[in-house]
C-alpha cells in the first residue's frame, strides 16, 4: 500500500504562507518592487517582467543579393519552409531534428539554434508557436502531477528518482512551493535525503546548471498556475548568481520572450555569502575568486535590476570584498546531511531568503 509523504506540521510553513500572501497581495494591486532604470543596450529592464527588448533596438538586414548575407538568407528560408510544414501538419520537431535534416548544409547545431531564435524574434512569437521544441535536460521531483500534450499523465513522486522536464504540459496539479536547485549533484543529494518527503508538499527543479528553455518555461508555468513561493539554491559564486538571475530576470539573448520565461518573484534562499560567515565555514573549504569570477561579479553589480535588490547587492559586495566563493557542498563540513536536515528547513521555517 502506498502512503502519502508526511511533511512538517502546518505551523512550520507559517512564515512561508505569509510570504505567499504578500506575493498575492502584490499581484492584486498590480505593483512590484521599485522599477529599475532602463539601459541603452538591446534590452531594457522592467521589474514585473525582467529584461526586455528596447522598442527601437539596432537591427540588421539579411539580403538575398548580398554576398555577405546570401547564405544566411538561404538558411532562414530553408528553416521557414520547414516551420510552415510543421504548422500545416500540426506536428512538432526538435532543433536537433531540424539540424539533422541537412547537417552538411547547416554545418553545426549553433547555426540552427541562432536562426530559430532570429525567426522567433522577427515574427514576435514564442518558439513553441513555430512548432519547434528543445530537448529537455532539466529534472523535476516532488508533489506535482501534470499531463503531457499527448495525454500521458505524469505523477512526480517524492522518492529517490526524478522526472525529465517536459517540453509541453497541458495541466498541472498539486503544488505548494518550488525550490530551484542549480546543480544536478545537489539535486540528487536532496532526493537521496528524501527532502521532498520531509518538506512535503514541495517541488524541486534543476536545470543542471544554466537552464534550458523547457526548464524556464516550466518554472514560469508553475508560478502562473499557483503563485507559490519560488526559491533558488545556488553556489555562493558569480556563476550561481548568474543562473539565479536568468530564472528571475531572463537573459539578453532571449529578452524578446521574457514575458514567457521570467519569474521576478523568485527569492534567493541560499547559499548566501553571509551564511558562510554566520556558519563559521572554515577558509580551507572556500575557493578564491578567479579573475574571471571578479569580472563576472563586477558585471552583475552594474546591472539595473541589482538597484532593486539592496540585499542582493550587499551579499555580492561581501563576496567581492572577501574575494572568496563557496559551493553548496561546503556545508558538508558541518555534517554530511546538514543541507537537507538543518540548513534548508531552518531557512524555510524562519524566512531566511532575500
Amino acid at each position: 500500500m502506498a502512503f502519502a509523504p508526511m511533511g512538517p506540521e502546518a505551523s512550520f510553513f507559517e512564515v512561508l504562507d505569509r510570504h505567499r500572501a504578500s506575493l498575492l497581495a502584490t499581484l492584486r494591486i498590480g505593483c512590484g518592487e521599485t522599477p529599475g532604470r532602463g539601459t541603452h543596450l538591446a534590452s531594457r529592464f522592467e521589474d514585473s517582467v525582467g529584461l526586455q527588448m528596447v522598442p527601437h533596438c539596432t537591427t540588421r538586414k539579411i539580403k538575398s543579393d548580398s554576398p555577405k548575407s546570401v547564405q544566411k538568407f538561404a538558411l532562414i528560408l530553408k528553416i521557414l519552409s520547414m516551420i510552415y510544414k510543421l504548422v500545416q501538419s500540426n506536428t512538432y520537431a526538435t532543433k536537433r531534428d531540424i539540424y539533422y535534416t541537412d547537417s552538411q548544409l547547416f554545418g553545426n547545431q549553433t547555426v540552427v539554434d541562432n536562426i530559430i531564435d532570429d525567426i522567433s524574434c522577427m515574427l514576435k512569437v514564442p518558439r513553441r508557436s513555430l512548432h519547434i521544441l528543445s530537448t529537455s535536460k532539466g529534472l523535476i521531483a516532488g508533489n506535482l502531477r501534470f499531463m503531457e500534450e499527448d495525454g500521458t499523465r505524469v505523477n512526480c513522486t517524492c522518492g529517490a528518482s526524478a522526472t525529465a522536464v517536459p517540453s509541453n504540459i497541458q495541466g498541472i496539479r498539486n503544488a505548494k512551493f518550488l525550490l530551484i536547485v542549480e546543480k544536478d549533484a545537489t539535486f540528487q543529494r536532496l532526493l537521496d535525503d528524501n527532502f521532498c518527503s520531509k518538506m512535503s508538499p514541495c517541488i524541486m527543479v534543476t536545470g543542471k546548471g544554466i537552464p534550458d528553455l523547457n526548464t524556464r518555461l516550466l518554472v514560469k508555468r508553475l508560478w502562473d498556475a499557483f503563485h507559490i513561493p519560488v526559491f533558488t539554491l545556488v553556489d555562493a559564486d558569480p556563476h550561481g548568481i548568474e543562473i539565479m538571475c536568468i530564472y528571475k530576470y531572463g537573459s539578453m539573448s532571449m529578452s524578446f520572450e521574457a514575458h514567457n520565461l521570467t519569474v521576478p518573484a523568485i527569492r534567493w534562499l541560499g547559499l548566501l555569502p553571509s551564511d558562510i560567515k554566520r556558519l563559521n565555514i572554515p577558509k580551507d573549504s572556500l575557493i578564491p575568486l578567479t579573475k574571471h569570477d571578479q569580472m563576472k561579479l563586477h558585471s552583475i553589480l552594474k546591472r539595473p535590476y541589482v538597484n532593486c535588490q539592496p540585499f542582493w547587492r550587499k551579499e555580492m559586495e561581501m563576496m567581492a570584498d572577501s574575494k572568496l566563493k563557496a559551493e553548496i557542498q561546503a556545508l558538508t563540513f558541518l555534517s554530511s546531511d546538514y543541507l537537507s536536515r538543518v540548513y534548508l528547513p531552518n531557512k524555510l521555517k524562519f524566512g531566511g531568503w532575500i
Side-chain angles (χ1 to χ4, degrees), residues 78-105:
K78 169 77 171 177
I79 293 179
L80 277 171
S81 69
M82 297 173 71
I83 290 170
Y84 176 78
K85 292 175 183 176
L86 290 170
V87 173
Q88 285 292 97
S89 61
N90 195 29
T91 55
Y92 292 82
T94 66
K95 294 188 294 183
R96 200 68 176 159
D97 293 334
I98 290 177
Y99 168 69
Y100 277 118
T101 60
D102 200 332
S103 57
Q104 289 189 336
L105 174 65

Side-chain angles (χ1 to χ4, degrees), residues 286-290 294 297 317-325:
L286 308 180
I287 306 167
L289 290 175
T290 65
Q294 294 180 49
L297 187 58
E317 288 175 346
M318 189 180 302
M319 184 189 301
D321 291 342
S322 70
K323 292 183 170 57
L324 294 171
K325 60 183 179 180

Side-chain angles (χ1 to χ4, degrees), residues 5-178:
M6 295 296 292
E9 294 181 359
S11 60
F12 178 92
F13 293 113
E14 284 181 358
V15 176
L16 190 66
D17 289 340
R18 287 201 296 270
H19 175 52
R20 183 171 186 242
S22 174
L23 293 174
L24 292 173
T26 300
L27 287 170
R28 279 195 295 270
I29 63 177
C31 67
E33 299 162 86
T34 305
R37 299 174 183 173
T39 71
H40 297 290
L41 302 174
S43 297
R44 72 176 189 274
F45 168 67
E46 184 178 317
D47 189 74
S48 62
V49 178
L51 291 172
Q52 292 185 290
M53 288 182 63
V54 295
H56 305 291
C57 59
T58 303
T59 59
R60 68 180 188 274
K61 292 183 178 180
I62 306 295
K63 298 181 179 180
S64 61
D65 59 352
S66 169
K68 291 183 178 180
S69 61
V70 63
Q71 183 178 8
K72 181 74 174 285
F73 184 87
L75 293 178
I76 290 174
L77 285 183
K78 169 77 171 177
I79 293 179
L80 277 171
S81 69
M82 297 173 71
I83 290 170
Y84 176 78
K85 292 175 183 176
L86 290 170
V87 173
Q88 285 292 97
S89 61
N90 195 29
T91 55
Y92 292 82
T94 66
K95 294 188 294 183
R96 200 68 176 159
D97 293 334
I98 290 177
Y99 168 69
Y100 277 118
T101 60
D102 200 332
S103 57
Q104 289 189 336
L105 174 65
F106 294 122
N108 61 69
Q109 183 69 55
T110 303
V111 171
V112 173
D113 295 350
N114 290 340
I115 289 176
I116 290 170
D117 286 343
D118 287 345
I119 292 172
S120 180
C121 182
M122 179 176 64
L123 299 179
K124 296 182 172 61
V125 297
R127 188 193 300 167
R128 168 147 193 86
S129 297
L130 305 177
H131 284 230
I132 296 175
L133 308 175
S134 299
T135 302
S136 297
K137 69 169 183 171
L139 297 172
I140 185 168
N143 298 76
L144 176 68
R145 297 174 187 170
F146 60 86
M147 183 184 295
E148 292 186 337
E149 189 179 37
D150 62 2
T152 303
R153 296 181 182 276
V154 179
N155 184 12
C156 301
T157 64
C158 292
S161 61
T163 303
V165 167
S167 58
N168 186 47
I169 52 179
Q170 293 297 311
I172 44 183
R173 299 284 187 274
N174 301 344
K176 172 93 173 172
F177 78 90
L178 173 63

